Amino acid sequence: PQSQIDAQKTDFSSLVGTKIQVLIREVEPRQGRVVVSQTALLEKEREERRRKRFEEIQPGQIYEGTVTRVLGYGVFVDLDGVEGLLHRSEMSYERFFDHKKQYHSGDRIKVYVLSKDAENMRLQLSLKPLITDPWEEFLKKFSVGDIIKGPVRNIIESGIFVQIIPGVEGFVHISDLSDRPLKHPSDAVSIGKEISAKIVEIHRESRKVRLSKKAAEYTSEAWKEYTESVEGKVLLGEFFKRADDSRRNRRNRKR
């Protein structure tokens, strides 16, 4: 049948006299007819090569492949006949990494094989073992009480995410954004705006950092102003009074 010939042709006269390999699909003795397929044989050969290549690929090893598809949840990479999934969670340590802008069909990339499913011939791939974990760098450079400065990466109803270093974000709850009540965090900040915030908590196991914009303002302005103006004992009530006055003066200057 025409559909079983591995060639995009409408005129098959040029094939007359040539030898091709085919796979027998049907035998009809009464009609004296045999139905054969070239495409089925080629597909069988491709499948055998694919299975052999799959057996060669081992978890824990690095291979170079070609990006074949870019989807919302990740990209598929062809490793010389065997396709594997590189999930978006395995591409970067950055929470808001945009893989659709980073990868395109035809790109050649190196990947790390996490695991393989022999029954379904599927590979799980990753890039994280090939890059430095920014969390370790963060723990070396920062601790609770430090003031950081970074851009707002995302805004949700309960607060905002601020980039501390590439790959590590901290969360500022809406209640820690401003002294005045906010209906939504976007009333105080916008995506891309750089703000100062104080590290309030570091959760090592869950790799989460809690920040406070209000605490940074107290630390960087009002507290410094107050401690420099007094000698001896520091009165907490007086500090908060001065902090309120300082913020009020800043708002008046903006007006």
Side-chain angles (χ1 to χ4, degrees):
Q2 177 179 342
S3 63
Q4 299 302 310
I5 299 175
D6 190 47
Q8 299 296 324
K9 293 184 178 182
T10 55
D11 180 14
F12 299 103
S13 59
S14 62
L15 295 177
V16 175
T18 63
K19 290 185 177 182
I20 62 172
Q21 287 188 318
V22 294
L23 183 73
I24 296 176
R25 299 295 298 271
E26 296 178 26
V27 177
E28 300 175 353
R30 289 184 180 182
Q31 288 81 12
R33 186 175 69 172
V34 179
V35 179
V36 299
S37 171
Q38 184 188 31
T39 57
L41 179 63
L42 295 175
E43 179 59 35
K44 184 180 179 181
E45 292 175 349
R46 281 192 290 266
E47 186 64 20
E48 289 176 354
R49 289 195 298 270
R50 180 169 172 257
R51 186 167 295 279
K52 183 180 179 180
R53 175 58 177 162
F54 182 82
E55 292 173 354
E56 293 173 350
I57 296 174
Q58 297 299 320
Q61 298 298 314
I62 300 170
Y63 299 90
E64 187 173 6
T66 304
V67 175
T68 56
R69 289 177 288 165
V70 180
L71 304 175
Y73 55 86
V75 303
F76 284 90
V77 182
D78 177 57
L79 304 181
D80 296 329
V82 179
E83 203 172 54
L85 172 63
L86 175 59
H87 195 270
R88 63 182 182 182
S89 63
E90 291 295 332
M91 295 179 185
S92 173
Y93 288 100
E94 293 187 39
R95 186 190 298 265
F96 309 106
F97 180 75
D98 190 350
H99 66 281
K100 290 185 177 180
K101 290 184 178 179
Q102 186 70 25
Y103 300 108
H104 306 87
S105 294
D107 289 350
R108 294 286 292 177
I109 62 172
K110 288 185 177 181
V111 293
Y112 176 92
V113 178
L114 282 177
S115 63
K116 64 182 197 176
D117 178 357
E119 184 176 349
N120 299 299
M121 290 184 65
R122 293 176 180 172
L123 300 173
Q124 293 294 328
L125 309 175
S126 177
L127 292 179
K128 286 185 174 180
L130 308 182
I131 56 180
T132 304
D133 186 351
W135 181 255
E136 299 301 324
E137 180 185 349
F138 165 77
L139 293 177
K140 292 177 182 178
K141 291 184 176 181
F142 299 94
S143 58
V144 173
D146 289 348
I147 303 296
I148 64 94
K149 197 177 262 190
V152 176
R153 295 298 307 274
N154 195 32
I155 299 176
I156 60 177
E157 192 171 341
S158 59
I160 65 172
F161 289 92
V162 180
Q163 178 179 285
I164 302 173
I165 60 174
V168 178
E169 292 86 24
F171 182 69
V172 183
H173 192 268
I174 187 171
S175 61
D176 288 318
L177 271 176
S178 175
D179 294 315
R180 59 187 178 87
L182 299 173
K183 291 183 178 180
H184 195 272
S186 58
D187 295 335
V189 295
S190 57
I191 297 288
K193 180 180 179 181
E194 191 172 80
I195 68 168
S196 295
K198 183 177 181 179
I199 298 177
V200 179
E201 294 177 358
I202 296 176
H203 301 279
R204 291 174 178 262
E205 292 185 3
S206 59
R207 299 165 69 104
K208 293 181 179 179
V209 183
R210 189 167 75 86
L211 305 172
S212 173
K213 184 173 179 291
K214 289 198 303 186
E217 291 177 352
Y218 280 126
T219 303
S220 60
E221 295 183 28
W223 180 255
K224 182 179 179 181
E225 179 183 322
Y226 175 58
T227 53
E228 288 178 351
S229 65
V230 298
E231 295 180 0
K233 185 166 60 176
V234 175
L235 301 177
L236 191 60
E238 178 63 22
F239 161 66
F240 282 114
K241 180 179 181 302
R242 286 173 177 257
D244 290 337
D245 292 340
S246 175
R247 288 194 303 276
R248 196 175 298 111
N249 290 335
R250 288 200 306 274
R251 285 197 293 268
N252 291 334
R253 284 196 297 269
K254 290 181 181 178
R255 291 174 185 170

